[in-house]
Amino acid sequence: MIKAAPLPQTYFTNVAGISIKPEHRRRLESLDLIEVTPKPRIVLELTTKGWERAVEELGAEAPKRAGASGGTLYVALDFLRRLIDHSGTPADDLFRLQIKADEIALAVPATGFAPTPPAVDAVTRVRQAYQELAGRPGDYVMLADLRTVLADLPRAEVDAALLQLNRERNIHLVPESNQKVLKPQERAAAVSIGNQDKHLLAISS
């Protein structure tokens, strides 16, 4: 719900640190809360009923033994619930809210020098290349295929554009869940974010 987009299981495991076992997936499917695409690239997506159930949880009380992290989470969820009620904005619209890159100040690293943002043209080209490769918004495409379409751009420029896009909520850069199936060119095309190689890109809207 927070990402407002289909997400590969590798995102939960490698990025969010959430373990979703096969029996958990089957349980959620049996309750008609999620839809799951089959292997080799398992992707989870909320159903309409799943969205409704997730919104209900925004107003729930923290379960017993939730601990400090769990308690903090439910305080934040309660704020979101009140924000939705006060603004009248549907939850799916709220979580699909997009903040344009030029509306955010780029973080200044420890060196004290602000990073030079990539040319807007490179960001636009990445989006256009994705649209050419993806069957529909939210589908995952290999960065190797993306780089082939953008072969006329320097690699550093494409990497910088991907890093800028990664700050947006509707952009999903994730690693391949089954590393064994990666071809050498697919490994080489990865972009490193947070000390982790990302091989796939999806733009949900």
Side-chain angles (χ1 to χ4, degrees), residues 125 147-154:
R125 289 284 306 281
R147 291 189 190 278
T148 298
V149 176
L150 301 172
D152 60 310
L153 291 180

Side-chain angles (χ1 to χ4, degrees), residues 23-36 45-53:
E23 55 267 31
H24 296 157
R25 289 200 312 268
R26 288 192 290 269
R27 172 67 173 165
L28 292 171
E29 271 193 296
S30 69
L31 295 171
D32 191 30
L33 298 178
I34 64 170
E35 293 179 350
V36 182
E45 181 174 8
L46 282 177
T47 61
T48 300
K49 186 176 178 182
W51 268 97
E52 293 171 353
R53 177 66 187 86

Side-chain angles (χ1 to χ4, degrees), residues 50-129:
W51 268 97
E52 293 171 353
R53 177 66 187 86
V55 171
E56 287 178 13
E57 195 65 24
L58 294 177
E61 294 184 3
K64 294 180 179 180
R65 299 181 181 179
S69 297
T72 302
L73 169 64
Y74 276 84
V75 170
L77 292 178
D78 179 64
F79 169 78
L80 289 172
R81 172 82 255 181
R82 288 185 287 112
L83 177 63
I84 289 170
D85 291 343
H86 178 73
S87 66
T89 304
D92 52 346
D93 286 345
L94 176 66
F95 293 121
R96 289 191 179 98
L97 176 67
Q98 295 182 35
I99 301 176
K100 296 179 181 179
D102 58 4
E103 294 176 351
I104 327 173
L106 292 175
V108 179
T111 59
F113 295 99
T116 302
V120 174
D121 184 62
V123 173
T124 302
R125 289 284 306 281
V126 168
R127 288 184 177 276
Q128 292 172 342

